[in-house]
Amino acid sequence: MTLIRTFTEGDEITGYYLLKKAEIKQTNAAPPKNYFDFVLADSSGEIPAKLWDVSAADKETYFPMMLVKVQGLVQMYREKPQMKINRIRKATEEDGCKLTDFIKSAPIQPIDLVHIIKQTAAGIQDSECRSVVEFCISKVEERLMHYPAAKAMHHAYYAGLAYHICRMLELGEFVARQRPFLNPDLIKAGIILHDIAKPEEMNAELGIVTDYSLKGKLLGHISLAANWVIEAAIALGIDVSSENIVILQHLVLSHHNLGEWGSPVQPQIPEAIALHYIDSLDAKLQAVEDALDSLPDSEEWTQPLRIIENKPIFRMRK
């Protein structure tokens, strides 16, 4: 099968792909005609696709998160590749395709990622902090095995959230060694807790976010996680006004740094400052890495990346 990242203008493609998005739209013609606005995906990337002649049966056949066999032509539209689909059908059991073969996932096995997170939590020396962190992990442990870290910005794939946390823990360990005045327990706790409520914020299947949940839309993962710290304190018999609990809440509430980025308060302890920049560094570098990995072999520039102020990235030839 031809991987999406290798598509070039003029390619005639026949193959199996994941239907990541399927939306009925209308042309500007008079009278308007219905067409399908698709996004096809595989483990290497994704591409927008159009099916122009849509029948009533088609509308009842094609939905997101199914495998399809397509025949189409790769074209350029506004300097971006897209596919014009000439034929399409649902994949069947006889085709021998598995959904998991077509999704992007973390490069480390989810079970190993979750083990690292739990092992790190168990190594937190302060018993109150450790208990709160373990309580919060227990609320999402099963979903950590497959949830993405975001809908699109960074680590937006199967087990992306656990991968993001683990890569941050690596950075946090280095920073704590380099800056001994930092409290390693708080660095570890902040990293594990900062996005721990993402599975409550988003609805996702196979690492692909379909929508934000009601709690996600009305509260967001930052508020949810801060509330979980209080919930943990009550369940564990810890004074909710104690310094440990207030500090853990502050780490969560301030990790986006600015109000316009979602944080109700700015970092005001050293570990919160470190947490913000560790989070930002990992998120931005991963977004760049993913964009370069999915860049077609024939191209030198990625699409503009929102996470780095809508700048494209140039790939140097080795």
Side-chain angles (χ1 to χ4, degrees):
M1 188 187 73
T2 307
L3 293 176
I4 287 173
R5 71 180 299 271
T6 67
F7 286 4
T8 58
E9 184 179 8
D11 284 350
E12 295 182 0
I13 301 296
T14 299
Y16 298 93
Y17 299 96
L18 173 68
L19 194 55
K20 187 175 180 180
K21 173 187 171 185
E23 184 178 352
I24 290 289
K25 294 185 177 179
Q26 290 191 323
T27 66
N28 294 323
K33 294 184 178 180
N34 291 328
Y35 70 93
F36 253 126
D37 188 23
F38 289 143
V39 172
L40 301 176
D42 63 15
S43 60
S44 75
E46 60 185 52
I47 186 172
K50 301 291 189 290
L51 179 66
W52 293 109
D53 298 317
V54 177
S55 67
D58 289 335
K59 296 178 185 179
E60 302 300 320
T61 301
Y62 300 109
F63 300 95
M65 302 307 297
M66 67 165 51
L67 294 179
V68 292
K69 184 177 183 180
V70 300
Q71 182 186 74
L73 177 67
V74 179
Q75 302 173 324
M76 296 300 290
Y77 176 70
R78 294 180 177 176
E79 300 182 356
K80 297 180 182 179
Q82 72 171 21
M83 182 186 289
K84 176 186 176 184
I85 295 177
N86 297 319
R87 298 178 65 187
I88 184 172
R89 69 166 173 83
K90 292 172 61 176
T92 65
E93 288 187 9
E94 288 73 23
D95 292 320
C97 300
K98 296 187 297 181
L99 266 175
T100 51
D101 294 333
F102 291 81
I103 60 172
K104 182 175 175 61
S105 61
I108 300 173
Q109 288 296 314
I111 192 169
D112 295 327
L113 294 170
V114 175
H115 174 72
I116 291 169
I117 293 169
K118 293 177 67 177
Q119 189 177 49
T120 302
I124 294 174
Q125 298 300 306
D126 184 282
S127 61
E128 286 187 352
C129 288
R130 180 175 65 250
S131 297
V132 170
V133 171
E134 290 178 336
F135 178 95
C136 293
I137 291 173
S138 71
K139 293 177 71 69
V140 294
E141 181 175 343
E142 187 277 328
R143 287 178 287 178
L144 273 178
M145 295 287 289
H146 59 88
Y147 249 73
K151 186 174 183 179
M153 292 280 277
H154 66 92
H155 300 84
Y157 43 74
Y158 193 89
L161 175 57
Y163 185 54
H164 176 43
I165 292 172
C166 287
R167 296 309 298 267
M168 283 181 64
L169 287 171
E170 293 173 359
L171 291 171
E173 183 179 4
F174 168 77
V175 171
R177 285 200 314 269
Q178 190 191 56
R179 294 288 188 270
F181 79 97
L182 294 171
N183 183 326
D185 278 353
L186 294 182
I187 296 292
K188 295 172 187 176
I191 288 171
I192 294 172
L193 292 177
H194 84 289
D195 278 351
I196 199 70
K198 283 287 185 78
E200 200 78 9
E201 179 183 52
M202 305 179 295
N203 299 323
E205 183 180 355
L206 292 175
I208 297 172
V209 176
T210 55
D211 197 4
Y212 287 90
S213 67
L214 179 63
K215 288 182 179 180
K217 292 174 180 177
L218 298 183
L219 300 176
H221 72 280
I222 291 177
S223 297
L224 286 167
N227 289 339
W228 286 3
V229 172
I230 293 294
E231 181 185 337
I234 293 171
L236 297 166
I238 303 170
D239 181 0
V240 297
S241 299
S242 70
E243 185 173 280
N244 268 345
I245 299 303
V246 172
I247 290 297
L248 290 177
Q249 284 186 290
H250 178 73
L251 288 166
V252 170
L253 292 170
S254 66
H255 81 269
H256 279 187
N257 188 41
L258 299 176
E260 56 263 40
W261 296 345
S263 278
V265 293
Q266 288 184 272
Q268 290 180 269
I269 63 170
E271 292 77 12
I273 295 169
L275 173 62
H276 166 66
Y277 286 105
I278 290 168
D279 182 28
S280 179
L281 178 62
D282 185 60
K284 289 179 178 180
L285 285 179
Q286 193 63 53
V288 170
E289 182 180 345
D290 291 341
L292 290 172
D293 283 346
S294 61
L295 186 65
D297 293 339
S298 60
E299 298 183 22
E300 295 181 331
W301 288 93
T302 71
Q303 296 300 316
L305 302 182
R306 181 182 168 195
I307 197 170
I308 55 167
E309 292 73 46
N310 286 315
K311 295 292 190 294
I313 298 297
F314 178 70
R315 178 171 61 192
M316 295 184 293
R317 298 296 180 184
K318 296 182 179 179

